[in-house]
Amino acid sequence: MSVKNGDEVSTPRRRPPRADRLPGRQDWSSWPHYQAAASGFRGYWYPVGYSSRFTAKPRQITLLGEKIVLVRDDGKVYALKDRCPHRGVPLSEGNRQFPGTISCPYHGWTFDLATGDLKAAITDGPESPICGKITQPTYPAEERLGMVWVFVGEGEAAPPIDDQLPEELVSNAAVVGSRIQPREGNWRFACENGYDEGHAKYLHRTALWRLFKPMPVWNDTRIIQRGRWIYRVQDKQYWEADFPGLGRWSSQAWYKMKPPKQVANIGNTSSHRETDPVIAAQEFPGFASVSMPGVLRIAYPTFVHYEFYVPVDADNHLYVGVMASFQRGLRTLPFYAKYLGFIRWLFHGQFSAQDKWMVEVTDAPPEKLYRPDESLLKWRKLAEDTSEERVERLRAQGINPTVPEVD
């Protein structure tokens, strides 16, 4: 209250700024393992490139922020830390002087590909006393789906790679088409984009892949867990909506197919096509699912699409898109023709490029989430819970894994 010319004049109160009331989530401390995983989660297999890329010539990759050299010897791919312990020269600059080994180009330190043991220091002669005292770190490497996979752990034995792959890819014959692309942006943004409930209905409404297909405005969706996967289950779809004070909005058009009358969870908008028996046998509760360490699965009636988000470092990742059709013999030919003819550039190209764009420009946290982001929250919780289980398992084995500090 203030006084002017003898009269009391009301002065509006100003609410002081509150730093602790900033809108939205300011960090990811609710999920300390997830927040600390800028460069990825250890303890998993990751695809790092097509098998044809890795030959007898050593090649360097970066995975989870670590430089790794891969080299093929007698048909098998081996992986070692790409730093000679002598003077720090990359082993990927060297070559194979003897079968089953790799030699540093600087002084000829020569390591066994399978064990990492120093077998020779060429410039110190056959009786060099350093041999037997040095072991170079190695990484398990396997080949699946026409790709090389590498396991990076913290001292634990690598589990069988087939235990991590989508179950239906292990137990059934499949023909696959794939694309591997280095991309900017943190791998977590890529994974969250893939499993995100809301973006496809708006961002991808202009994609050529969806040009003639109906797209809802919004869905009633719930998240359920089955085994190591969490699924987005569509309960109801809304094809148009009236927004108060704005008007009606819909992505439908005269040239698009009409929306289905029933909600389906094989394919995001249902299809007139009969579901492949192998896909039907999986009884997926939802068409979109995700599992650790960042594997997306989208089930369509005639194929399943997978995306693997491979952490290179905190600012870059490898996008690995795989489309699988569970056909055999001559029935695989139409899939090859369609994939190479237009699906690869239409789906793994223009459609996926829209996701690439968003991942590159995402800057979070801070963030203020809305109802459809329940999918992101459940994914983060899955990552956190799985990481906690891994920590307890390793501690029981006498291994002390890296654990993020909680403020």
Side-chain angles (χ1 to χ4, degrees):
M1 196 74 72
S2 62
V3 178
K4 183 178 182 180
N5 298 327
D7 297 324
E8 291 183 349
V9 179
S10 177
T11 302
R13 292 183 177 180
R14 293 183 179 180
R15 179 177 295 176
R18 291 281 302 276
D20 60 343
R21 295 187 63 181
L22 290 172
R25 188 181 299 275
Q26 300 307 300
D27 57 37
W28 289 344
S29 57
S30 300
W31 312 281
H33 289 279
Y34 192 69
Q35 180 168 257
S39 295
F41 286 107
R42 293 173 179 269
Y44 295 93
W45 291 92
Y46 292 95
V48 297
Y50 289 117
S51 292
S52 59
R53 184 182 178 214
F54 301 103
T55 65
K57 181 179 180 180
R59 180 181 290 271
Q60 182 190 82
I61 65 160
T62 303
L63 179 62
L64 281 71
E66 295 193 15
K67 301 294 185 183
I68 300 174
V69 56
L70 284 87
V71 60
R72 187 180 295 275
D73 182 80
D74 196 24
K76 179 175 172 54
V77 175
Y78 296 90
L80 299 88
K81 184 175 182 178
D82 195 20
R83 182 186 184 279
C84 181
H86 179 209
R87 300 296 302 280
V89 171
L91 292 177
S92 55
E93 297 291 334
N95 52 37
R96 296 182 307 160
Q97 293 296 317
F98 306 97
T101 68
I102 185 171
S103 296
C104 175
Y106 201 2
H107 299 92
W109 282 35
T110 300
F111 301 89
D112 185 276
L113 292 173
T115 65
D117 293 341
L118 180 65
K119 290 295 186 179
I122 294 177
T123 53
D124 195 24
E127 303 298 326
S128 176
I130 194 67
C131 293
K133 299 178 181 178
I134 302 292
T135 297
Q136 182 75 348
T138 62
Y139 305 84
E142 295 282 358
E143 295 186 73
R144 294 291 190 280
L145 305 176
M147 305 175 197
V148 170
W149 299 64
V150 174
F151 178 88
V152 178
E154 293 182 281
E156 73 268 41
I161 185 174
D162 290 343
D163 289 352
Q164 186 184 308
L165 293 175
E167 297 86 346
E168 65 277 8
L169 284 180
V170 176
S171 56
N172 298 281
V175 55
V176 302
S178 62
R179 183 170 189 177
I180 300 177
Q181 185 180 40
R183 291 184 176 181
E184 296 179 3
N186 189 262
W187 75 273
R188 293 170 298 186
F189 297 156
C191 186
E192 292 184 348
N193 170 82
Y195 194 58
D196 174 80
E197 159 66 23
H199 83 282
K201 304 170 186 62
Y202 192 81
L203 174 66
H204 292 317
R205 74 190 192 282
T206 60
L208 297 177
W209 176 257
R210 304 214 58 85
L211 184 62
F212 301 108
K213 302 174 184 177
M215 290 289 284
V217 178
W218 61 290
N219 289 347
D220 285 336
T221 303
R222 54 196 166 90
I223 311 298
I224 68 171
Q225 183 167 356
R226 192 177 76 181
R228 59 194 174 100
W229 298 85
I230 56 173
Y231 295 80
R232 281 179 14 214
V233 182
Q234 301 179 144
D235 290 325
K236 190 173 182 179
Q237 295 172 310
Y238 301 86
W239 302 96
E240 58 183 13
D242 290 313
F243 292 86
L246 298 175
R248 175 162 294 191
W249 195 89
S250 172
S251 65
Q252 305 312 307
W254 64 268
Y255 53 84
K256 290 180 178 286
M257 298 172 62
K258 290 186 177 182
K261 295 181 179 180
Q262 296 181 338
V263 177
N265 274 289
I266 295 294
N268 53 2
T269 58
S270 82
S271 172
H272 65 283
R273 296 183 178 181
E274 183 178 352
T275 302
D276 180 278
V278 172
I279 298 174
Q282 308 309 310
E283 298 182 340
F284 296 130
F287 84 100
S289 54
V290 68
S291 69
M292 286 288 281
V295 182
L296 178 72
R297 175 173 59 195
I298 306 293
Y300 290 92
T302 59
F303 65 88
V304 180
H305 171 64
Y306 308 90
E307 292 185 354
F308 302 86
Y309 311 104
V310 182
V312 173
D313 53 34
D315 300 311
N316 300 274
H317 67 281
L318 203 63
Y319 168 84
V320 180
V322 176
M323 184 176 289
S325 174
F326 300 94
Q327 301 292 335
R328 297 186 182 190
L330 295 177
R331 292 185 178 182
T332 63
L333 297 180
F335 174 82
Y336 277 125
K338 288 191 295 184
Y339 183 78
L340 296 176
F342 66 92
I343 292 179
R344 191 173 193 274
W345 65 266
L346 198 63
F347 188 77
H348 283 157
Q350 192 261 350
F351 180 89
S352 181
Q354 293 180 328
D355 295 320
K356 174 179 179 292
W357 168 38
M358 288 297 99
V359 172
E360 289 176 347
V361 299
T362 295
D363 181 19
E367 59 189 13
K368 189 170 181 64
L369 305 182
Y370 73 150
R371 285 189 302 177
D373 288 327
E374 178 72 6
S375 59
L376 305 189
L377 297 176
K378 288 297 177 61
W379 152 244
R380 294 173 184 175
K381 185 177 186 303
L382 175 70
E384 198 66 24
D385 291 346
T386 306
S387 297
E388 281 295 332
E389 292 171 1
R390 175 177 176 267
V391 167
E392 293 176 5
R393 185 173 64 253
L394 294 186
R395 283 176 172 169
Q397 299 173 14
I399 301 173
N400 293 315
T402 303
V403 179
E405 296 181 0
V406 181
D407 294 333

